[in-house]
Amino acid sequence: MNSNFNLTNLLKLNENSKLQIPSWIKVLQSKVLDLDFYELVKNISESKSREEETRIVQNEIMKLKKAFSQHDQSKEKKRECLIRMIYCHMLGFNVEFGHVNALNMTQDSEIWNKRTGYLALSLCLPDRHELLIMVVNSIQKGLGYDKSNYLEVSSALTALCKLIDKETIPAFLQKVLTLVQHPIPLVRKKAVTALHRFYQLQGYDDIIDSQTEDKLRIALCDKDPSVMAASVSVFLDISKTHSHTLKDLVPSFVGILKQVSEGRLPVVYVYHHIHHPWLQINLLKLLSNLGAQDQKSSEHMYQVVLLTMQQGIKVKNNVSFAILYEAIKCLTSIHPNIPLIETAAKYIHVLLPKLHNNLRYFGIKALTSIVKVSPKSVAQFQMEVIECLESSDDTLKRKSLDLLYRMTNQNNIIPICAKLIDHIRQTKDKSLRMELVSREMELMEKYSPSDYWYIDTMVTLLSIPATHMNQQSAFNLIRLLAEGNQDETEDTKIKLHAVDNFMEKIPQLQQSSNNPLYLLPDLFIKIMTWVLSEYSYLLPSQVPDQGGLSTHEYIINYFCDLLEKEHYNSDTKSWILIAITKLTSHLGKYLPQVSIITNKYTQSRSVQCQQRALELQEISRIPSLMTEIFPQDSYCEDLDLDSVFKKLDQFTSTAISNGAKEYIPIHKRKSTPLIDLQSIQQLTIQPKELNFEYPPPPSIFQQQSYQSTPTTSLPLVPISTTTTTGNPQDDNNRQMVSIDQNTQAMVVSPKVESIIPKSTKIAWTKKGFVGDKPNTVTQTPVIPNNNSNISEQQPQSSSTTQQPTTQQTTTQQPQKKIVDPEKEKLAKQLFSGLGGESVETTNSSETVPKKIKKHQTGVTTQPKVNTNETPLNNQFKDPLIDLSPPLTSTTTTTPTSNSSQLLVEIENTPTKTAITSPTTKSNNSILDDIDNNEILSLSFNTNITSSNINKNILDSDINTVTSPIISSPIRTAISTSTSTLSSQIEPGQDFSIENLNISPVVSKYMSKDDDEVEYQQVFKDKSIVVGIAKIISYLEPQNTKCKTTILLISNLQSTSIGNLKITIPTNNDNLVINITDIDSILSLDDNGTNLSLQSELPAKLTISVILSVKLKKIGFNMSIPITLSNVTNALSIPYEVSDFHWDQDDEANDLDSFNSISSQYQFERSIDIQSFHTVDSRNQLLFNRFIKGLHLKIIHSNEQEYYLVHTLSTSTNHYQCLYKFTHNNQDNTTTFLIKSNDKNLSDVLYRYAFKLYNLEQLKNK
Amino acid sequence: MIKFFILANIQGKTRLSQYYEHIPFQDRPTMESDIIRKCLSRTSLQCSFLEYKEDMKFVYRRYASLFFIVGVDSTENELAIYELINNYVEILDATFEDVCELDIMFNIDKAHFILDEMISNGNIVEISKQQILEVINSICKSADGTTASNQPIKLR
């Protein structure tokens, strides 16, 4: 070593002193690298630390920069500098300064220098460097075919492979293609490699044309094995994506493989006694790509693959095993030949004994590929696989787990999952753990043998720290528990099992939680708190071994402990707080420890926790409220917002009566000033609060409704005013009404005066009023109450949005006013879980039945519309029973004086005798347990077949219009109709709307014979029965209206109702509501929203209000929230899209246009209906109801399929919906397919269909 | 497909690196040291294959103080690569007569040339020792016709 040092020192000295260098020293110089390089290598190899290395390299870079700036250096020196530069680059330093020197070096005539230049460029040049274009230019110069120096060409080609990019390929393609036929094999090989590179960069379509393919095929037949091997790897790449183009080459590849494995290659290609093993492996890969799913090609291969395997196995070294594995893999990927695979499986015996883990690894890999095709072949290696599983080698273990995962089926799922969990616990590799967890989840979803097992495994999995488990899949557990199966007792068992499972964990968790290293995953805590808070009521009320501590308290204590820990994130903590809230509600008392912890969390930095803690604090103040807010087992139940609103209404009304300003919806605020000004000008007296109210209903709409129903509305307006004017004391009220008249009239006709006289001149009702006068007088105290009552309606609509949802679900549609529980339930089913999107399409049809069932047995969330005595079972009525009885006109009845004056509207109606169907009652008792709102939203279509009589009505109506002075025959009619009703009501007995014949009252508003009326009873208590009748006109064109009569009937005929006040909102997101007509006994205030009863509602009497409702847009849960002031509830009249008339003028009128329109529409919903108990009658019934309910037009039908359509136009939009109804006789399933151009519509109809389906289901039971 | 070929000593220092798949320059040193650390942590009885990141595994083989590490994609046959390393070492051995770490350091250009002959575009293109040696020898001839082997200096 020392001598060398001296020598080079001497050399350097000589250079410096410019002495003549002896030739022997020159030789030495070429042999011994320059001192700089020597020092660099020596320093780097001796450097002990990264810092030292950095210093060395930085120093070196300085030297190199200096060296590159000197131009008089020898080429050897320059090359050496480039090598030093490569070093610097390799150690991670920027060597941009040397790029140009490397480029210059590529132009050197010396091949070594040239090659070093290319090498330096290919290593050091970053992607897409601007110098590349120069490099490309340089390479191109080197690619001349005629160059005698083949080394130069091959160097250029080598550099080309590394340096070319996509854009420069065209410059080379032709040259490279010619070089494929160069006389020197080395060049041919490099040219094929270059083509391979082009293929990698450009892809099949841009590179492989007939010319290149020809060249590649020629190369495949090249007599030089290297060239052939190079072309095989190109074909291998092609076969990955375009195997079909190479099918004709299968015999060639088979032939080549046969020759190679038989040892026909020159001896230089023998590696460890095997002929070109890498070529064999490539060929086997190629064959497996070509033979996949291709029996014909595969049959060519079996023999040669077997031969390769046998040849390989003779040698028993690493390369031969590599070939063996590749052959087995090939056999399993091509069209399977089971006997051959079983033979191959036997060879695995060679690999699996404990020779080296590398071989066992390959054994497991081979088994993994075999298990797909022939699972039984794997069985013989059980023990070996188990050994590998227990190996300490991560890689081997991982492969073995992969094998386990792939061989899982229903029978072995339990042990395999246990094994996987073991490994999840053990492994330290984060990515492996995550992979195992996801696989475990996948297996559990796929093969879970029972729900119990699923719960246990899930809980175990959750409890493992740092699994980074997908939150969504963890929530599957919640979904499983909450939704349950069909079987109620089984569900309870499962729930109990889960609760037990978590309960058992508490003591051990308490112990282990002392250890700060052992953290429970947040997700586990979330799921645990949820399960325990929801279902702990299933447990015995006291915990054993805890000194009589109640279960709830025990759990709460534990949760409080958890909250004390610092390491849970705020999201988890808010879950715990929610759980404590629920448990506190169930327990019914606010424990001191909870109070302490809650107080702490009201100061929490996390807003979420703070919110939860404050909620808990607030709720705990009213213990009676707690069980209502957090009922037991209510996760899948509907949120009953009605009752919440009710309370809020009270709250707001009290607040307003105490002087608070009421809420005005934003959309009302804008237009207020303008119209308000007008009304202020015209008003003489007006209650203050009403200034904020929206003025009369949109007059244009009203006018339209007048036009469309001219017979009904006009005469009624004066009547209502007359009743007020007829009462001299009631100045206030009269003013309000007359102003209302004015504002309406302003639009209808500018002459206010012409209307006002009209309203005052109706003296005839005054006459009729005489008998009732005493009552009218006593009615005055109503007015002071007005303001507070009016306000009730407004806050109610707003309170929906302000209402914090008590559970984790958020209200999906903000436009909901009052949530129809039925639809709410459906929505929950569809988006059940906490955002499980998949449910929508997959589970919905199956989950429906059990949801219904739950709801029936559900504990608390029954909407409390009807809080008193009798369940409203009577309402549920077989739709087939016709309500309208044969008409018998009663000409003479007892005219009760006080009633006849009031019922001006009813007076014209022909009387019909009521038929109460005694059968219905007994039928309905089955359905007692169905909650009210479900029934309320039912719709019955009752045909009223009273053509002749209706004509009479029409006539008499016109009569009324023309001459407001009433003639005596009509007055007789008043009395008769009222008495008809009163004769139907037995004094002192309950009745319901369904048992009454109300047709006389309603039929007046029916304009045409074909109108249908639907009756519903909305409310009933001791004093009043509220019913609605919806009149649906089919024959009026372009009418998306529905007229609704609200009927108020005093119940029991014993008490009078005073101070009745009705608030009808005229503005709704989905609906336009106009009060078309009201009973004379009512008066409408100037806002057009509040109706008040002038006097008491006498016993036996009906009042009716008729509204015309027009569809503004299509939405869910359309309903009018009506407030009746002596009724605590806000009543809601539900609407369905089916209540509106459907325009029958459809574009789709034959099957072809149906299909073409159907393909355009993108909003698609489909429902599969199964398991009807009876075969077709039910489906048929359902189908009929669907058609009838929605008034569908049948376009085409055959035995199994129906094509239906309907169109709906609102003022702004045109919606069309197409239906396909397919019945499958074999498995008795029916599929609805709904397609629409509007998402909302398709959703609405989807729900509608579901509702019908549910009803059918219920009836089936 | 082969993604990279790295030589490193047991101190974890890279002696040669060649990438066949684009990995940004600045990411390379960390990745290399990470991989080398993983290799060092394994015993000779364990598998010479390791899964690393998505669709990447590496095969390593140790000769005295040097690790030869090859990164491949998931389709590659690990044993074949394992033997390819051996083939490379055999060729180096034939070139430098009893190759050692310093040989490679002093002749990094040649080591690269051999690798370039053997692997191209991430594919194995030549495995014949004789063929490769022939090319290398014909390239590395000095101007005066003598074969330039820097071999004489044996530091250890």
Side-chain angles (χ1 to χ4, degrees), chain A residues 1 4 30-33 37-38 41 44-45 47-48 53 79 83 86-87 89-92 110-112 115-116 119 123-127 150-151 158 161-162 186 189-190 193 196-197 200 224 226 233 268-269 271-272 276 278 281 285 318-319 321-322 325-326 356-359 361-362 365 392-396 398-399, chain B residues 1 13-18 20 22 25 28-29 32 42 44-51 57 61 74-84 86-87 90 102 104-110 112-113 116-117 120-121 123-131 135 138-144 148-150 152-153 155-156:
Chain A
M1 196 196 247
N4 288 329
S30 70
K31 292 206 173 204
V32 182
L33 271 175
F37 181 55
Y38 178 81
V41 171
I44 287 175
S45 71
S47 71
K48 293 280 180 286
E53 190 181 276
R79 187 179 77 223
I83 293 169
I86 291 173
Y87 257 97
H89 172 78
M90 188 173 73
L91 296 171
E110 193 91 19
I111 185 69
W112 192 351
R115 190 84 188 242
T116 310
L119 179 69
L123 288 173
C124 308
L125 217 53
D127 217 23
Y150 69 93
L151 282 174
T158 312
C161 290
K162 292 178 178 177
L186 179 66
K189 181 178 79 187
K190 295 271 178 192
T193 319
H196 192 178
R197 182 67 189 157
Q200 283 178 339
D224 188 282
S226 297
S233 56
V268 294
Y269 293 102
Y271 175 83
H272 294 195
H276 209 326
W278 294 280
I281 286 167
K285 280 184 186 163
N318 279 340
V319 269
F321 292 143
Y325 165 75
E326 211 58 58
H356 189 273
N357 277 355
N358 281 357
L359 300 184
Y361 174 86
F362 261 73
K365 263 183 94 169
S392 58
D393 188 341
D394 269 357
T395 314
L396 187 57
R398 201 168 174 157
K399 265 285 172 262
Chain B
M1 196 194 136
K13 288 177 185 156
T14 312
R15 291 293 173 243
L16 181 147
S17 67
Q18 174 75 61
Y20 301 97
H22 183 74
F25 289 164
R28 291 180 185 181
E32 283 167 17
R42 296 178 69 82
S44 61
L45 286 174
Q46 287 179 314
C47 281
S48 314
F49 323 126
L50 260 180
E51 305 247 346
K57 54 194 176 186
R61 198 158 180 172
S74 56
T75 61
E76 203 67 52
N77 186 319
E78 295 94 333
L79 264 185
I81 299 297
Y82 189 68
E83 288 305 304
L84 182 75
N86 191 55
N87 192 33
E90 280 182 20
L102 275 174
I104 296 166
M105 289 182 80
F106 276 113
N107 298 285
I108 194 168
D109 50 343
K110 276 193 182 178
H112 266 293
F113 294 158
D116 285 350
E117 291 303 310
S120 182
N121 319 324
N123 289 297
I124 304 162
V125 287
E126 185 62 81
I127 56 115
S128 163
K129 198 187 293 174
Q130 287 85 339
Q131 298 259 4
V135 176
S138 49
I139 291 171
C140 303
K141 271 182 201 161
S142 65
D144 51 12
S149 167
N150 307 318
I153 307 165
L155 295 177
R156 281 177 199 167

Side-chain angles (χ1 to χ4, degrees), chain A residues 449-729:
Chain A
S450 77
D451 288 339
Y452 298 102
W453 178 84
Y454 184 87
I455 290 165
D456 289 347
T457 319
M458 198 70 188
V459 170
T460 321
L461 203 56
L462 280 168
S463 66
I464 299 170
T467 47
H468 304 278
M469 200 165 168
N470 181 8
Q471 183 148 315
Q472 216 52 302
S473 44
F475 290 154
N476 281 347
L477 183 66
I478 288 184
R479 198 177 304 150
L480 173 84
L481 289 175
E483 288 175 3
N485 299 317
Q486 301 282 345
D487 187 356
E488 193 68 33
T489 52
E490 185 62 22
D491 283 350
T492 315
K493 271 193 196 168
I494 288 171
K495 284 170 187 170
L496 191 58
H497 180 80
V499 176
D500 275 338
N501 204 330
F502 279 113
M503 280 298 278
E504 280 165 21
K505 286 222 154 38
I506 290 182
Q508 79 196 61
L509 291 177
Q510 275 172 331
Q511 283 173 354
S512 55
S513 64
N514 295 331
N515 177 2
L517 291 173
Y518 187 78
L519 304 182
L520 273 172
D522 283 285
L523 205 51
F524 176 86
I525 298 291
K526 284 185 190 173
I527 306 290
M528 178 176 77
T529 53
W530 187 87
V531 170
L532 286 182
S533 62
E534 283 288 325
Y535 300 118
S536 57
Y537 71 91
L538 294 167
L539 288 169
S541 59
Q542 289 190 343
V543 189
D545 311 326
Q546 292 288 334
L549 195 63
S550 87
T551 312
H552 287 330
E553 210 171 328
Y554 175 69
I555 299 169
I556 289 175
N557 286 347
Y558 176 59
F559 286 173
C560 290
D561 287 351
L562 280 179
L563 280 177
E564 298 284 358
K565 308 246 180 303
E566 287 308 315
H567 49 250
Y568 293 115
N569 64 34
S570 58
D571 191 34
T572 311
K573 283 183 172 165
S574 72
W575 276 65
I576 302 175
L577 281 165
I578 292 167
I580 291 179
T581 314
K582 279 194 257 180
L583 287 167
T584 304
S585 312
H586 297 167
L587 186 66
K589 56 182 172 185
Y590 190 46
L591 297 170
Q593 59 267 44
V594 177
S595 157
I596 293 166
I597 201 93
T598 312
N599 277 336
K600 184 181 153 195
Y601 273 90
T602 51
Q603 309 291 321
S604 167
R605 226 183 265 174
S606 148
V607 182
Q608 212 181 350
C609 291
Q610 219 180 67
Q611 167 78 13
R612 299 298 166 211
L614 286 168
E615 273 171 26
L616 174 54
Q617 234 176 21
E618 283 305 311
I619 290 166
S620 66
R621 287 185 193 159
I622 316 158
S624 60
L625 208 64
M626 292 199 294
T627 44
E628 222 168 303
I629 294 172
F630 292 108
Q632 284 181 349
D633 194 11
S634 55
Y635 182 66
C636 278
E637 307 300 332
D638 300 320
L639 210 52
D640 176 26
L641 293 178
D642 271 6
S643 58
V644 183
F645 293 154
K646 189 177 73 191
K647 295 215 163 58
L648 283 175
D649 284 347
Q650 284 170 349
F651 174 76
T652 43
S653 56
T654 342
I656 287 166
S657 61
N658 288 339
K661 271 190 187 176
E662 64 181 285
Y663 176 78
I664 305 158
I666 291 165
H667 60 94
K668 287 192 176 181
R669 286 177 205 162
K670 283 180 190 168
S671 54
T672 304
L674 185 78
I675 304 177
D676 204 26
L677 193 68
Q678 284 180 329
S679 45
I680 286 167
Q681 284 169 349
Q682 303 191 2
L683 281 177
T684 46
I685 309 157
Q686 193 173 24
K688 262 183 184 174
E689 281 82 359
L690 294 181
N691 283 340
F692 299 101
E693 288 294 315
Y694 195 69
S699 343
I700 296 159
F701 289 129
Q702 193 146 16
Q703 196 185 358
Q704 277 175 357
S705 71
Y706 282 167
Q707 285 165 350
S708 60
T709 58
T711 53
T712 54
S713 49
L714 268 179
L716 293 173
V717 180
I719 290 164
S720 64
T721 39
T722 334
T723 45
T724 52
T725 46
N727 187 352
Q729 289 114 314

